[in-house]
Amino acid sequence: PGQGAVDYSLLLKWVNLKSSQDTGSSNSETGHFREVKMYPWVGAFIKYVADQLAKAVADSPPPKTPRQLETFRKADVVAIDADDWRRVDMALTQCIDSPKRDGTSEEKFTYAQSAALIEVKRYEAEETAAFDQLALYTPYLYATQVNRRFAWGLTICGTHVRACLFIHDNILASEVMDVATESGRKQFVTLLVNWAMCESQRLGYDPTIRYNGETSQWEIDVWDDESRETRTYICEYVVADTSSLFGQHRRCFVARAKESSDEQPAQKVLIKDAWAYAAATGSKAARDELSNLRAIRDKLGADDALAGTYSHLEAGGVVQQMHTKQKTADDTTESIFADIDASVLEEVPDRIHRRVATTPVGEQLKSVRSVDELIVVVGDVMAAHTAIVRRCGILHRDLSTNNIMFCRDDDGMVRGLLIDFDNAVLQSDLHDEQRPDQIGTFPYMSIGNLEQSSVKRTALDDWESLIYILCWLGTIGINRDDQTNVDIQSNLPICRWRDGSAESVAAAKRQFLESSAAFESAPRAHHLDCSIDISTVDPFARRAEFADAIVDDLLRVVQRHRDEALERIKDAQQLESFLVSL
């Protein structure tokens, strides 16, 4: 080979590799040595396949130019876009389907430019360790690639190769491809060729989220189920990425319509992309945020008093992927597994890929400037929450500091915003549950939720979550300036709401908030005529009986404080304006 070229003969050292148990050698290349010695051998094999494929299609070009799949030139290094010091053995990189590629393998290893990660071990017996490390590193692909639907990986242990498919609930591994045998080499070469020639979605990418090299921007397609049309948005920034191996892989983007311009800027939208569980029928998600948002929009959209206090659906539907014969189909895990034996997938749940665009785009709760602004935000959010419960029949079930946001108008006034209906359900569906789901965020979950009470959830569970939110903010500070001055990792008693099991968190909340005397007096405080024998009554069931009356009282109190806080904010603004004018 010439200077800088790959020495293809190195691949022979890999395919001729024998274990030390076979040879009895301790010094030769077939004996004991560190796995790092195998990296150039594996890289030469993969490079050889890529180059031979390029030559094969040069004389009779196929409809699609194959990817030049190679390994990064540097191996056993820390990725330059990593946030830790873990060293990945090897990774495949590609020339297309990923932004800013120059057609050559990269000198520096990055997760963002990796098509698949590779974990190498010297011996076949180390396969479990290889799987563990591959599972540890693969979440970085999701975190750095906003267009990742699922991920591939390779374990190489001696001459044994397995392809690993990382999906939302499971990891599937292929049978061993032993490159020491002719049949094993053929299988591995076939895999590499298929990866080079397949559609980008089969490699794990999402063509409906694509990088525009000319504008250096990400473009996101949102299919709208109602209008049966695709709306394309330009991503301005990523609000939340995903860094978990399993789960919904939820991502959030702030974007604007593609047809907008600097002269006529479009309204910003929040795009949420997630893989929700499908129901048993496979036709609807068990907790269908899209249907909830559509119902809320249709029933509350004409109410100007609530405008801007909840997520308003602009467009949304199941993501559409192009399949055979240039036809689109719903993007589901079932479609990903179309070519896999059904018997392998018996324990793999089906998920549906949905994407929604909503308005308005809010700010995080920790950006409020004062207690009065927090009170206004809470008042707006709970008014919207109550309207959604009573007029739409939808229970949110996940109030937290992340799902209560706010917008600031041009005049500086704030307006609360309730978002994220991922876990919301129709109240009518709760009647059929034998044991309600344990849903929410630990520090803010109701005690009945934490203890998995068999009593169906009511709006009071969400109001209880609000109490914990206010207690939390009252302890650590209402905004980021206050919160940075508090060590919430300390032994504050309230931190017991965040750490430990559901049972221990519930016990901590009971210790702070529960007493028999308070329980006995609660109905009388709400003017409810009832006689209670505490020893025989389930407090959760009793509370549920009077939920509507209690909510009325709570809302009335919150709204009164909200109106008073709003007046104080206006007075403060007028005073500030006066002082500025002096």
Side-chain angles (χ1 to χ4, degrees):
Q3 185 176 5
V6 174
D7 184 356
Y8 294 139
S9 66
L10 291 176
L11 69 87
L12 297 176
K13 296 185 177 183
W14 183 32
V15 301
N16 291 324
L17 179 65
K18 300 294 182 183
S19 69
S20 59
Q21 290 90 337
D22 293 335
T23 64
S25 170
S26 59
N27 298 313
S28 71
E29 288 179 347
T30 58
H32 291 293
F33 56 82
R34 294 182 63 235
E35 64 200 38
V36 66
K37 199 167 187 177
M38 294 174 59
Y39 299 158
W41 306 350
V42 173
F45 189 106
I46 293 172
K47 173 68 172 172
Y48 179 78
V49 173
D51 289 347
Q52 292 302 308
L53 177 60
K55 291 179 181 179
V57 301
D59 297 332
S60 56
K64 176 176 170 38
T65 303
R67 303 172 184 86
Q68 185 77 10
L69 284 177
E70 305 174 12
T71 58
F72 286 94
R73 291 194 181 119
K74 290 188 176 180
D76 190 30
V77 293
V78 177
I80 61 175
D81 51 357
D83 59 4
D84 60 23
W85 297 99
R86 293 172 179 155
R87 304 171 71 90
V88 178
D89 288 349
M90 304 180 73
L92 286 178
T93 188
Q94 56 179 328
C95 300
I96 60 175
D97 290 333
S98 188
K100 301 178 182 177
R101 300 295 300 134
D102 60 5
T104 62
S105 59
E106 294 287 341
E107 289 288 346
K108 295 182 178 180
F109 164 55
T110 67
Y111 287 113
Q113 303 296 345
S114 297
L117 303 181
I118 305 173
E119 187 61 32
V120 180
K121 298 295 181 186
R122 168 63 184 90
Y123 299 106
E124 287 83 353
E126 298 177 281
E127 190 174 67
T128 299
F131 280 132
D132 290 344
Q133 287 184 269
L134 197 59
L136 185 65
Y137 304 144
T138 297
Y140 284 103
L141 297 187
Y142 294 113
T144 59
Q145 300 178 21
V146 297
N147 58 340
R148 267 288 178 176
R149 296 162 62 235
F150 58 89
W152 290 98
L154 290 173
T155 60
I156 296 176
C157 301
T159 59
H160 287 187
V161 180
R162 287 186 190 265
C164 300
L165 177 59
F166 294 86
I167 51 178
H168 306 86
D169 298 282
N170 301 79
I171 305 173
L172 303 181
S174 70
E175 297 293 333
V176 168
M177 296 171 279
D178 188 351
V179 296
T181 67
E182 182 179 352
S183 61
R185 289 193 294 275
K186 182 177 180 179
Q187 288 175 320
F188 188 39
V189 169
T190 300
L191 173 67
L192 294 174
V193 171
N194 284 338
W195 277 354
M197 299 295 295
C198 70
E199 302 92 337
S200 61
Q201 57 263 38
R202 289 179 177 268
L203 205 56
Y205 293 96
D206 188 345
T208 66
I209 301 179
R210 56 196 170 276
Y211 189 79
N212 187 326
E214 294 182 0
T215 62
S216 299
Q217 294 174 314
W218 286 95
E219 297 181 356
I220 305 172
D221 292 338
V222 178
W223 169 257
D224 187 63
D225 284 345
E226 288 186 312
S227 64
R228 310 299 296 174
E229 63 181 16
T230 297
R231 303 183 190 182
T232 301
Y233 296 88
I234 303 298
C235 176
E236 294 199 348
Y237 56 91
V238 179
V239 178
D241 57 27
T242 182
S243 58
S244 60
L245 189 62
F246 301 126
Q248 291 191 78
H249 289 169
R250 183 174 66 178
R251 297 181 174 95
C252 294
F253 312 86
V254 171
R256 55 180 171 80
K258 185 178 181 179
E259 59 269 17
S260 62
S261 63
D262 293 336
E263 294 76 21
Q264 294 182 323
Q267 182 181 22
K268 290 182 179 180
V269 301
L270 179 70
I271 296 177
K272 180 155 60 172
D273 181 278
W275 291 77
Y277 280 123
T281 60
S283 59
K284 292 180 69 66
R287 295 189 291 269
D288 187 349
E289 182 180 30
L290 177 60
S291 295
N292 290 333
L293 289 173
R294 190 169 287 142
I296 294 169
R297 179 199 62 190
D298 294 346
K299 294 181 180 180
L300 302 183
D303 191 335
D304 293 338
L306 295 172
T309 61
Y310 59 87
S311 295
H312 182 275
L313 180 66
E314 300 292 338
V318 179
V319 175
Q320 301 294 296
Q321 294 290 353
M322 187 68 68
H323 288 279
T324 57
K325 300 180 180 179
Q326 297 300 302
K327 292 184 178 180
T328 60
D330 290 350
D331 194 17
T332 66
T333 48
E334 185 178 8
S335 65
I336 294 174
F337 304 139
D339 298 326
I340 297 179
D341 192 311
S343 62
V344 178
L345 305 174
E346 290 181 357
E347 302 300 322
V348 179
D350 193 25
R351 288 181 181 263
I352 299 176
H353 188 189
R354 284 188 173 89
R355 190 173 298 152
V356 298
T358 61
T359 56
V361 175
E363 298 182 51
Q364 290 184 310
L365 193 58
K366 62 185 178 182
S367 295
V368 297
R369 298 170 183 169
S370 66
V371 172
D372 281 335
E373 284 194 347
L374 175 63
I375 294 171
V376 171
V377 169
V378 168
D380 290 340
V381 164
M382 297 317 294
H385 179 276
T386 302
I388 291 169
V389 170
R390 293 181 172 177
R391 294 160 60 180
C392 307
I394 295 171
L395 187 61
H396 190 282
R397 299 200 304 169
D398 190 16
L399 260 63
S400 72
T401 53
N402 292 325
N403 296 336
I404 296 178
M405 304 187 78
F406 73 95
C407 297
R408 192 175 297 278
D409 297 332
D410 294 337
D411 60 2
M413 304 302 290
V414 295
R415 184 176 65 257
L417 173 64
L418 180 61
I419 68 165
D420 197 353
F421 290 81
D422 271 351
N423 292 314
V425 293
L426 292 172
Q427 284 187 300
S428 57
D429 290 344
L430 296 177
H431 291 288
D432 299 324
E433 292 185 353
Q434 295 299 315
R435 183 168 292 276
D437 293 337
Q438 190 178 65
I439 294 297
T441 309
F442 260 26
Y444 317 118
M445 288 168 63
S446 70
I447 293 174
N449 191 357
L450 288 164
E451 294 180 347
Q452 290 190 284
S453 164
S454 59
V455 178
K456 71 182 181 71
R457 305 288 179 260
T458 69
L460 287 180
D461 287 277
D462 285 350
W463 279 93
E464 186 180 336
S465 293
L466 177 64
I467 293 174
Y468 301 137
I469 291 170
L470 295 177
C471 289
W472 184 265
L473 294 177
T475 303
I476 70 168
I478 63 165
N479 56 38
R480 57 168 56 91
D481 291 333
D482 292 338
Q483 291 168 12
T484 54
N485 295 323
V486 176
D487 181 11
I488 62 172
Q489 302 296 329
S490 65
N491 293 322
L492 292 172
I494 201 170
C495 288
R496 291 164 57 192
W497 294 2
R498 183 188 58 190
D499 304 321
S501 65
E503 292 77 12
S504 65
V505 172
K509 289 180 176 179
R510 282 184 176 278
Q511 178 183 351
F512 294 140
L513 303 174
E514 178 195 73
S515 73
S516 297
F519 180 72
E520 288 178 319
S521 64
R524 291 191 292 275
H526 293 279
H527 310 291
L528 303 174
D529 183 16
C530 57
S531 177
I532 300 174
D533 179 358
I534 286 189
S535 64
T536 62
V537 72
D538 179 346
F540 298 121
R542 195 65 172 174
R543 185 180 74 172
E545 285 185 50
F546 304 110
D548 287 341
I550 297 173
V551 168
D552 285 339
D553 279 357
L554 289 169
L555 188 61
R556 188 160 43 248
V557 171
V558 167
Q559 287 301 303
R560 184 179 74 247
H561 286 287
R562 184 257 184 204
D563 293 342
E564 292 172 354
L566 188 60
E567 289 303 315
R568 289 193 294 270
I569 293 172
K570 290 179 179 178
D571 291 343
Q573 286 183 336
Q574 291 175 356
L575 178 60
E576 184 179 358
S577 298
F578 173 72
L579 294 174
V580 170
S581 66
L582 293 178

